[in-house]
Every structure is written in C-alpha cells, then in structure tokens.
Amino acid sequence: INAAPELALGAGDFTAEAWVNFDETPSSSQHLLGPHENGQYTDWCVIAKGSTQELEILLNGIPRLLVPWRPTAGTWTHVAVSRHNGMLMAFLDGELRGATSAPMALALTNPISLGATINSVLPFKGSMDEFRVSRVARYTSDFIPPTRPYRLGE
C-alpha cells in the first residue's frame, strides 16, 4: 500500500489490526504489517518474534512494546494494536496483553507492507485476512473480535 498523507497516524489515536493464521509455529521473526522500505522500520510495524515467542510493536523504528505470544499453527488469531491518548496497547484475540506510553508522532514515509517487508525479508508464512488501519482507537480494553468482514467506513 503506497504511502499517502491520509495514512500518516501523527500523534493521535489509531488502530491497526488483522486476522493471522500461521502455517507453522514461527521459529524466526515474521513481519505481519506496517510500513517498511530498504531495511528500515521508520514508521510503525507489528512483528511476530518467533525466536522469543513475542509480538513486537515498533514505533519510529524503535521497539516500544513486546508481549508474550506463541501462535498456534492452523489457528486464526486476531491481532490488534491501538493507541489512545498516547497509550499504546497490544491485543490478541480481544485480550489486552500489554500497554506502554507512546505519545510520539508517526509519519508515513514508506509503503505499508503485509506479510513481508518490501524487500521480502521476514516473510510471514501463513494466511492473513481483514487488515485494517483506522485513525481512531477502536479498542481500549478487552473486546470480542469481529466475526464478519469489515464494511466500508467502519
């Protein structure tokens, strides 16, 4: 997805989410979603760190939040990252797994990639569905993950 001003998240609220299903339990890092180009994570991204069994969220190229996660192969998992009033939160299947202060502004200088970095590093091995980035904090506490496809404008 090409970089565009309307996708720049700034310092405000946002949510990035997707359903993911790994072909096998990851043993190495796999890029799930977020901007990346030429070996640089300069904006934000979500990575499944197989070697440490964690979900990692980077903002402005810096790891900001790590939460324990051991994905089960062949099982769909809803992954969501929200920021509300400067608080960054990670959710797995609707359960709040971690939070940290992250009030910094986020530009969008690189294309958003799904399932691998732009140069095919850290490939995600599995399936992904219902990717969405919103300029609102859709989730601020535990929730029931959506069970139907998103509609335009939701």
Side-chain angles (χ1 to χ4, degrees):
I1 302 169
N2 289 331
E6 58 271 13
L7 293 174
L9 301 175
D13 296 349
F14 75 88
T15 301
E17 62 186 308
W19 284 93
V20 298
N21 185 345
F22 290 84
D23 289 342
E24 57 189 44
T25 301
S27 59
S28 60
S29 292
Q30 297 184 28
H31 177 96
L32 299 180
L33 47 106
H36 177 271
E37 189 166 57
N38 298 325
Q40 299 293 314
Y41 287 108
T42 56
D43 304 312
W44 58 270
C45 74
V46 180
I47 297 173
K49 293 189 69 154
S51 59
T52 57
Q53 301 301 308
E54 294 171 303
L55 182 69
E56 179 179 44
I57 295 100
L58 289 85
L59 299 181
N60 292 332
I62 300 168
R64 295 289 178 182
L65 186 57
L66 286 166
V67 296
W69 181 34
R70 183 174 174 83
T72 302
T75 301
W76 285 97
T77 302
H78 185 260
V79 176
V81 176
S82 281
R83 182 169 65 183
H84 179 66
N85 292 333
M87 184 63 62
L88 183 70
M89 296 162 277
F91 299 88
L92 294 169
D93 284 334
E95 180 185 340
L96 177 61
R97 291 294 198 75
T100 191
S101 178
M104 68 285 299
L106 301 173
L108 185 65
T109 55
N110 294 310
I112 294 175
S113 58
L114 304 176
T117 60
I118 295 299
N119 55 352
S120 300
V121 175
L122 307 179
F124 168 63
K125 298 171 186 133
S127 302
M128 190 178 295
D129 197 14
E130 296 301 315
F131 164 72
R132 172 170 68 174
V133 176
S134 310
R135 295 180 82 175
V136 297
R138 293 187 180 275
Y139 314 116
T140 58
S141 61
D142 291 355
F143 64 95
I144 297 171
T147 57
R148 61 172 177 72
Y150 304 129
R151 294 185 181 133
L152 186 62
E154 283 189 320

